[in-house]
Amino acid sequence: MLRIAPIGPDDRADWLSLWEGYLAFYEATLSPEQTALTFDRLVADDTIHGAIARADDGSALGIVHWLTHPATWSAGEYCYLEDLYVAPDARGTGAGRALIGHVADWAKDAGCAKVYWLTQNTNATARALYDRVASDTGFVHYQIAL
C-alpha cells in the first residue's frame, strides 16, 4: 500500500534524494540555488504543486510536480505534469500510476480540461506506463532556450 501527500517542508531530504535521481536519469545538472528555489516553490507557492508517494514504512517512492495554465483551445485550464520520478527500486509497484492518478484527480477537481506531459521517446519503461494511462498525441516537442 502506498500513500500520496502534498510535498511539505518536512519532506525536503526525501524529495532531494528523489529529485537528484530524476536529474541524474535525464543527465541534467541544476545549481543548488535552483534546486532550493524549486523546493521552496513546491511548499510555499500555490502555482506549482508537488506530491510525494510513500510506502507503508514511510520510505519515499516517488515525486510528481505540476502546474496549470490558461489555454486557447479550452475554457478550462490545462494541467502540465512537469516532473514525474519513481525510485528505481520502486518501479513496478504502482507508484508511477498512482502519482499520475493523483495529478489527474487534482486537475479534475480544479476544473482543468486536461492533463498532459512530455517524455523522451527513448524512455521505454515510462512510455509503457504512459501508453496504458493516456493517449500519445503524436506531437513532437521543440524549444528555444533563452
Side-chain angles (χ1 to χ4, degrees):
M1 195 71 186
L2 61 92
R3 105 187 117 82
I4 299 174
I7 293 171
D10 294 341
D11 295 315
R12 183 181 293 270
D14 288 335
W15 174 86
L16 182 59
S17 177
L18 292 163
W19 179 245
E20 288 173 345
Y22 178 68
L23 295 175
F25 177 83
Y26 279 109
E27 299 176 354
T29 303
L30 293 177
S31 70
E33 295 81 14
Q34 181 59 52
T35 290
L37 176 61
T38 297
F39 185 80
D40 291 346
R41 285 175 170 167
L42 290 167
V43 298
D45 183 340
D46 66 353
T47 61
I48 300 178
H49 310 278
I52 189 165
R54 293 187 178 279
D56 284 339
D57 66 2
S59 60
L61 305 175
I63 53 173
V64 65
H65 308 142
W66 69 94
L67 55 98
T68 62
H69 62 85
T72 59
W73 288 24
S74 171
E77 291 191 326
Y78 289 172
C79 178
Y80 176 51
L81 191 161
E82 187 168 18
D83 307 308
L84 174 67
Y85 181 75
V86 174
D89 60 343
R91 294 183 185 149
T93 65
R97 180 185 292 267
L99 287 164
I100 293 168
H102 179 82
V103 173
D105 289 344
W106 182 96
K108 184 176 181 182
D109 290 346
C112 294
K114 72 177 179 182
V115 175
Y116 73 100
W117 62 91
L118 306 170
T119 195
Q120 291 177 329
N121 67 5
T122 58
N123 190 349
T125 302
R127 291 190 66 196
L129 168 61
Y130 302 161
D131 287 343
R132 290 192 303 273
V133 301
S135 300
D136 181 348
T137 64
F139 280 85
V140 177
H141 174 81
Y142 293 89
Q143 69 182 28
I144 299 171
L146 303 175

